[in-house]
Amino acid sequence: MTSTSHDEALQAGPPPVVGDGRALYDWLRRARDAGPVWHDTANDAYHVLRHDEVVGVLSEPLTFSSDFSSLAPPPEPGMPNFTEASLSVTDPPMHTQLRKIISQAFTPRMIAGLEPRITALATDLLDAIEGRDTIEMVQDIAAPLPVVVIAEMLGIPSDDWATFRRWAEYLLPDAADVTAGQFEEGGYAKTRAAELNEMADYLLAHVHDRRKSPKDDLFTRLVEATADGERLTDKQVVNFSVFLLLAGHLTTTLTLTNAVLAFNDSPGTLERVRADRSLVPGALEEVLRFRPPVSFLYRFTTREAVIAGTPVPPGKIIVNWIHSVNRDPRKFVEPDRFDPGRSPNPHLTFSHGIHYCLGVPLARLEFSVVFGAILDRYRALECGTPEFHQRPDIFGVTRLPVTLHRA
Ligand code: HEM
């Protein structure tokens, strides 16, 4: 089915995320029912809305590319180019080689070894709010933890964590700089040139240091990792560490807060998980399905393609809607119900195929440790009025007041 099957309201395009995104979800449901692909003729972009079709797109990286370098403006002179040869924006064969090397360093075993530190960090954060009835979930718990975990995992000294956290904020453009379908590097980066250069120099100094004096940290493992006789260059180690900050910081922060919201909106579910902790891992997957922090994944066609009968010429933007596929009734029973016990749960929030999120074990570990610690201390979490991010590509809150009820 093509755009001709979609009515005029649908042709107006996906509404911006306002509040909890209900209007967007409604639009996606109607668009998905009308057909698997919606052609946005105004922007000449193809929106893929159903689960099987998005899996199909993500499974063909040579036709549906992640390498947007030919579409992005040339890097500004004097600006660090963090996307150059970065894992998430490369295609095979370069992606295959990079991922092979990085996987030698960024292993599930290395992640599992972080558990005691994550537990200690979570305990510190919860001790700091001890005795308070109301907290602001983002600043008090959800935002500080993931960035410190990444800093510590890399081997950044604790004196520099506050600076590292500031850089993590700089890496994310303001809402006004990003609109759907627009490739984002550019204006924002210019205004932050000094900070981003400072960050690049700082990380490079660490890389140089580890080449000379190896330590027990991820910087050292990245510097030493080899596959087929190839190593990462200094620049590639810097770019990967920046990418870790980008990929692993806000996503995890949003997931922790999205979890609190999802439980709050579904009476009885928190009590159920609290009483049976074996449900925690499945509850995380359901939070990720129900309120995915990443709204969509871009690809672009390198050659003539056909998606569910819709021909797509080369050089076109493909918008793969995570919000839509995760609520596709062809895949999920009662997709609009938050069910922490849902199984199977083939959500696509971590993507699919060669770019499948490398940080999944870390995201799962952080969630189970932090959420478990919260459930140990509190029997109920009551949300006040949240404030939502206004960017179209991410979904979650900037502020969430929560009233705590001690166990
Ligand atoms: C709930 C938290 C997270 C979510 C929802 C998430 C989501 C994603 C998604 C959707 C992709 C693939 C993008 C694409 O296909 O174009 C991705 C890739 C990636 N993620 Fe995550 N992520 C999370 C946490 C993390 C963490 C904690 C780390 C590490 C610190 C991480 C590291 C990566 C890396 C390295 C890639 C690139 C993989 C590749 O291109 O081969 N992520 N993530």
Side-chain angles (χ1 to χ4, degrees), residues 14-34:
V17 178
V18 178
D20 63 1
R22 202 157 299 167
L24 173 64
Y25 269 101
D26 191 46
W27 185 91
L28 288 170
R29 182 180 43 73
R30 287 183 296 128
R32 186 179 57 233
D33 286 350

Side-chain angles (χ1 to χ4, degrees), residues 40-100:
D40 170 7
T41 47
N43 297 298
D44 205 7
Y46 292 77
H47 293 240
V48 189
L49 301 155
R50 292 186 189 166
H51 196 283
D52 283 351
E53 284 73 12
V54 167
V55 166
V57 168
L58 298 177
S59 301
E60 283 190 56
L62 293 180
T63 303
F64 302 102
S65 170
S66 294
D67 179 359
F68 288 86
S69 52
S70 61
L71 305 184
E76 299 288 326
M79 281 293 300
N81 181 2
F82 291 128
T83 56
E84 189 189 327
S86 181
L87 197 58
S88 67
V89 290
T90 48
D91 297 331
M94 188 190 266
H95 176 268
T96 318
Q97 182 66 8
L98 281 173
R99 184 143 172 152
K100 219 166 159 184

Side-chain angles (χ1 to χ4, degrees), residues 58 66 86-90 95 99 102 106 150 153 240 243-245 247-249 251-252 255 284 288 292-294 297-299 322 348-352 354-360 362-363 366:
L58 298 177
S66 294
S86 181
L87 197 58
S88 67
V89 290
T90 48
H95 176 268
R99 184 143 172 152
I102 286 168
F106 198 81
I150 295 168
M153 175 172 74
F240 183 66
F243 180 71
L244 280 186
L245 248 192
H249 162 47
T251 46
T252 313
T255 301
L284 166 64
L288 289 165
V294 178
L297 301 175
Y298 285 126
R299 293 294 187 265
I322 303 301
L348 295 182
T349 305
F350 288 127
S351 190
H352 176 87
I354 63 164
H355 292 283
Y356 182 73
C357 176
L358 207 54
V360 171
L362 180 56
E366 288 184 65

Side-chain angles (χ1 to χ4, degrees), residues 28-183:
L28 288 170
R29 182 180 43 73
R30 287 183 296 128
R32 186 179 57 233
D33 286 350
V37 179
W38 174 67
H39 182 199
D40 170 7
T41 47
N43 297 298
D44 205 7
Y46 292 77
H47 293 240
V48 189
L49 301 155
R50 292 186 189 166
H51 196 283
D52 283 351
E53 284 73 12
V54 167
V55 166
V57 168
L58 298 177
S59 301
E60 283 190 56
L62 293 180
T63 303
F64 302 102
S65 170
S66 294
D67 179 359
F68 288 86
S69 52
S70 61
L71 305 184
E76 299 288 326
M79 281 293 300
N81 181 2
F82 291 128
T83 56
E84 189 189 327
S86 181
L87 197 58
S88 67
V89 290
T90 48
D91 297 331
M94 188 190 266
H95 176 268
T96 318
Q97 182 66 8
L98 281 173
R99 184 143 172 152
K100 219 166 159 184
I101 303 174
I102 286 168
S103 301
Q104 306 285 320
F106 198 81
T107 59
R109 191 153 160 254
M110 187 268 296
I111 302 293
L114 296 172
E115 181 163 0
R117 276 302 295 147
I118 297 175
T119 305
L121 288 168
T123 305
D124 286 351
L125 288 170
L126 291 179
D127 285 350
I129 57 163
E130 189 63 47
R132 280 168 58 189
D133 293 336
T134 310
I135 59 164
E136 198 285 287
M137 182 69 196
V138 178
Q139 285 310 319
D140 287 327
I141 308 280
L145 187 105
V147 73
V148 169
V149 170
I150 295 168
E152 187 161 318
M153 175 172 74
L154 281 167
I156 305 266
S158 55
D159 285 353
D160 297 339
W161 288 353
T163 314
F164 197 67
R165 190 168 165 201
R166 188 163 50 88
W167 287 331
E169 312 286 328
Y170 289 156
L171 283 171
L172 288 158
D174 294 331
D177 296 310
V178 186
T179 52
Q182 188 185 328
F183 196 71

